[in-house]
Amino acid sequence: MAYDEEEALPYATVGTDEAKRMIDNGTRVIDVRQPQEWNMGHIAQAQLVPIDGIYAFGNALKQLNLSPDEDVIFVCASGQRSASASEIALVTGLKKVYNLANGMNGWVNRRYPVER
């Protein structure tokens, strides 16, 4: 039996244009980068929750009291840290988790607005 890596991911990966549409419709965005990265530019609706280790990040997520059925998009610079964040989010009980493919790099390349 062939192993399909795409099917193994427990969260969805969302492209920049789709993420923009979701965010415009009120989907929550959590930026997992470090404060210095955040200060260089972030999605206006995003909330900063740096990923500083699995347990600290999981606890920080739990303190947000997100609804398990709420759509949540995780973003970092390129999509790697947000992939880890997405997996941790599922463990904390969130069910509708999205990882922004290409992260802020993709967002900026599309010339979507950023706040500083």
Side-chain angles (χ1 to χ4, degrees):
M1 187 170 139
Y3 178 70
D4 184 348
E5 193 173 328
E6 284 300 309
E7 282 186 32
L9 296 176
Y11 55 85
T13 299
V14 64
T16 309
D17 295 333
E18 176 68 6
K20 173 79 165 79
R21 187 190 63 72
M22 291 172 72
I23 293 163
D24 287 346
N25 287 325
T27 298
R28 188 183 296 258
V29 189
I30 296 180
D31 192 319
V32 302
R33 298 174 301 156
Q34 295 302 305
Q36 60 271 25
E37 294 173 286
W38 165 269
N39 292 336
M40 292 189 311
H42 55 268
I43 297 169
Q45 299 88 333
Q47 188 169 4
L48 180 63
V49 182
I51 188 162
D52 290 321
I54 294 170
Y55 298 109
F57 182 74
N59 285 334
L61 274 186
K62 285 181 179 173
Q63 289 173 11
L64 296 177
N65 291 318
L66 302 171
S67 164
D69 294 316
E70 183 176 353
D71 288 343
V72 182
I73 298 173
F74 289 91
V75 60
C76 65
S78 66
Q80 294 300 311
R81 285 173 289 176
S82 53
S84 298
S86 296
E87 292 188 34
I88 297 166
L90 290 165
V91 173
T92 67
L94 297 181
K95 295 183 178 97
K96 297 180 177 176
V97 174
Y98 300 87
N99 178 29
L100 178 58
N102 304 315
M104 284 303 295
N105 295 339
W107 187 268
V108 169
N109 285 342
R110 280 277 202 259
R111 292 183 167 75
Y112 286 146
V114 295
E115 275 192 0
R116 287 187 171 78

